[in-house]
Amino acid sequence: MALPDDEEGTTVANGHPPANGYLPVPGDAPAGKVSAETQNGPKAGCLALNGVSRDSPKAPSGALDRPKTPLAPEEETQARLLPKDPGEQTPAVEGTLVPRTALSARRFLVLLIFSLYSMVNAFQWIQYSIISNVFEGFYNVSSLHIDWLSMVYMLAYVPLIFPATWLLDTRGLRLTALLGSGLNCLGAWIKCGSVQQHLFWVTMLGQCLCSVAQVFILGLPSHIASVWFGPKEVSTACATAVLGNQLGTAVGFLLPPVLVPNTQNNTQLLACNISTMFYGTSAVSTLLFILTVIAFKEKPQYPPSQAQAVLQDSPPGEYSYGKSIRNLFKNIPFVLLLITYGIMTGAFYSVSTLLNQIILTYYKGEEVNAGRIGLTLVLAGMVGSILCGLWLDYTKTYKHTTLTVYILSFVGMVIFTFTLNLGHIIIVFVTGGLLGFFMTGYLPLGFEFAVEITYPESEGTSSGLLNAAAQIFGILFTLAQGKLTSDYSPTGGNIFLCVWMFVGIILTESPCQHERQKPWRLEEGLFF
C-alpha cells in the first residue's frame, strides 16, 4: 500500500489546514498583521506582510516572546513572494491564494525505483552486443542480426515517442511509469523462452517489447525531477535519473561476458549460461514492477516549487500537445540542440553497440576485457553526469558547460581512435574512460538545457524529441560505422564519428544557440 500523504515528510501547520494546497491571504486584514504561516506551524518564523518579522522590535508586543526560527529551504521561495520594505504593496491582491510548497520524502523512493528499472532496461539493450560473437555462433546468424537486437531499441523509439509523450502529458507520470516497468518485465520473461538455437525470432520479440518499454522510460528523468524535487535539486535529480540508465549500460557491459563465456564448442553449457542470465534479469524486472505498482505516485501532495505550483494549477484545457510540438520546432535554439544532442548521443550508442567488434579486431579473445572497457567508459560517464548536474545547479551556465563538454568529448574520441591499435589494452581502458567521462556526462546536460530554453513547454515533450533525435542518429551511425568497421577497419568507423562530432561543436557554438531568459525562473520561482 502507498503511504498516505501525511506520512510522506511534508509538514502541515497544526490548526491551519490549507485549502487545496494553498494558504489564503485575507484581503481585509491590516497591513503588518497578516502573516504567512510557515510549514512548521504558526509559531515558527512567521513573517508579516510588510516584511517585518514578529520577533523584531517593530513587531507587535504579543509576538516578542516567540522564538525566532529560520525558514526551511523549501519555504524560501514562498517568503520571497512577500514584500520586503515597509509600505510596499503585497504581491497578492485581495482574495489571491498563495501557493504552498513542500518537499516530500517520497521523492527519493520514486527516484530510486525509476532509476533501478531504467537500469534493467538499459542492461537488456546492451546484453547481446557486448558478446555479439557468442550470440552469432549460438543462433547461427550474422553480426548485423545481433546489431539489430540493439538497434531495435532505437528504431522503436522514433515512431512511438509521440504517443508516449502525449500519454505522459495527458495521463500522467504514474501510468507512464507502470507501462515502462511492466513491458520491460514482460519482454524479459519472453526471452527466457528463446534459449534454443532456432528461436532467434523469440529473443527478437522479447527485445522488441523491451524497446517499447524504453519509450516510456527515457523521457521521464526531467519530468520526475521537476514534479518531485525542489528548485535547488532539479539538475542533480535529473542527472541521477539518467545515471540509472547509464548504470544499466555499465552492468550490461560487465556481466554478460562473465555469465556467458565463449564456450561455443559446448552448446548445452552455452544455452545453460544464457538461460541463467535471462532468468536472473526476469526476476529483478518482476520485483521492480511490483515496487512500481505499490510505491510510485503521480505527484507529491504539495508542489516542490512555485513554478510547479503554477503549472499544476493551470487548467488542462490550456495545454495542446500538437501546439507544444509546433512551438518547439519554431524554437531555433532547441532545433540546434536537437541536432547536436542527437549527434553526441547517437555516437555513444554506436560505440556501445560495436564495442565488442572494435576491441576484438585488435585484441583477439578479449571478450571479458571488452566488457570491462565498456564498464570503464560508462562508470567514468556516470561520474561526469553527477559532476555536470552539480555544476549546473551551482552556476546555471547551460550553453558554456554544454559547449565545453562537447569539445572535450570530441578530443576524447580522437584520442580513443588513434590509440586502439598500439597493442596495449591498458591504454584502451584509459582512453575509453576519458571518452566516457565527457561523452556520457553530456547526456543530462542536454535534458536540462532543453528545459531551460523551452520553458514553459512540457519537459516530457522536449525530452522525448531529444531522445528521438538520438535514436535516429544512433541507427544511422551504427549502420555506417559497422559497415566501415567490417569493410575497412575500426579506425575508419571512428573517424566517421569524429567528423560528425566536430559538426556538433560548430552548431553548439552557433550564435543562434543561446540561453534565452524565461519569464519565470524555475530555480527561484520568481517573476522577472
Side-chain angles (χ1 to χ4, degrees), residues 227-508:
V227 169
W228 281 91
F229 287 82
K232 296 181 179 180
E233 304 171 327
V234 170
S235 294
T236 304
C238 181
T240 304
V242 175
L243 196 71
N245 200 266
Q246 296 172 17
L247 181 60
T249 305
V251 176
F253 279 127
L254 177 65
L255 287 185
V258 175
L259 296 175
V260 189
N262 190 0
T263 58
Q264 295 188 28
N265 56 338
N266 189 338
T267 305
Q268 185 175 359
L269 177 61
L270 182 59
C272 181
N273 292 334
I274 293 175
S275 181
T276 299
M277 181 173 68
F278 285 168
Y279 275 103
T281 306
S282 301
V284 175
S285 300
T286 302
L287 175 62
L288 291 173
F289 176 63
I290 293 172
L291 290 176
T292 304
V293 172
I294 294 174
F296 213 100
K297 292 189 64 178
E298 178 67 30
K299 60 184 178 181
Q301 182 181 10
Y302 301 113
S305 66
Q306 293 288 343
Q308 275 299 307
V310 171
L311 291 177
Q312 292 180 13
D313 195 46
S314 300
E318 293 182 4
Y319 177 77
S320 169
Y321 178 69
K323 182 179 180 181
S324 178
I325 295 288
R326 291 192 296 272
N327 290 340
L328 289 174
F329 278 106
K330 292 177 183 177
N331 185 337
I332 300 301
F334 177 74
V335 173
L336 290 176
L337 178 62
L338 203 64
I339 298 172
T340 57
Y341 183 87
I343 291 172
M344 177 68 77
T345 312
F348 170 73
Y349 289 163
S350 182
V351 170
S352 300
T353 300
L354 301 173
L355 185 62
N356 174 270
Q357 300 173 41
I358 293 172
I359 299 300
L360 293 185
T361 299
Y362 298 108
Y363 304 94
K364 301 294 184 181
E366 294 286 357
E367 290 90 355
V368 173
N369 274 330
R372 290 171 180 168
I373 291 171
L375 173 68
T376 302
L377 186 149
V378 177
L379 289 181
M382 290 166 60
V383 176
S385 294
I386 294 175
L387 293 180
C388 288
L390 293 173
W391 178 256
L392 284 185
D393 277 335
Y394 180 72
T395 66
K396 302 299 180 183
T397 55
Y398 293 90
K399 178 176 179 178
H400 292 124
T401 303
T402 301
L403 178 60
T404 301
V405 173
Y406 218 113
I407 294 173
L408 292 174
S409 298
F410 169 75
V411 173
M413 189 68 198
V414 171
I415 295 173
F416 177 77
T417 298
F418 292 102
T419 56
L420 270 174
N421 60 352
L422 295 182
H424 301 286
I425 198 168
I426 187 64
I427 297 178
V428 184
F429 275 92
V430 175
T431 57
L434 179 67
L435 175 65
F437 182 87
F438 295 111
M439 182 179 277
T440 315
Y442 174 84
L443 302 185
L445 293 181
F447 283 117
E448 285 302 297
F449 197 10
V451 173
E452 174 73 13
I453 63 179
T454 61
Y455 184 86
E457 302 299 337
S458 167
E459 300 95 343
T461 307
S462 60
S463 298
L465 290 174
L466 284 179
N467 280 315
Q471 312 308 318
I472 293 173
F473 278 99
I475 293 174
L476 297 177
F477 285 176
T478 302
L479 291 173
Q481 187 185 10
K483 183 68 173 175
L484 290 170
T485 298
S486 60
D487 290 355
Y488 299 99
S489 71
T491 301
N494 288 343
I495 291 176
F496 168 80
L497 294 183
C498 289
V499 172
W500 276 100
M501 290 173 70
F502 185 75
V503 173
I505 292 175
I506 296 174
L507 294 178
T508 303

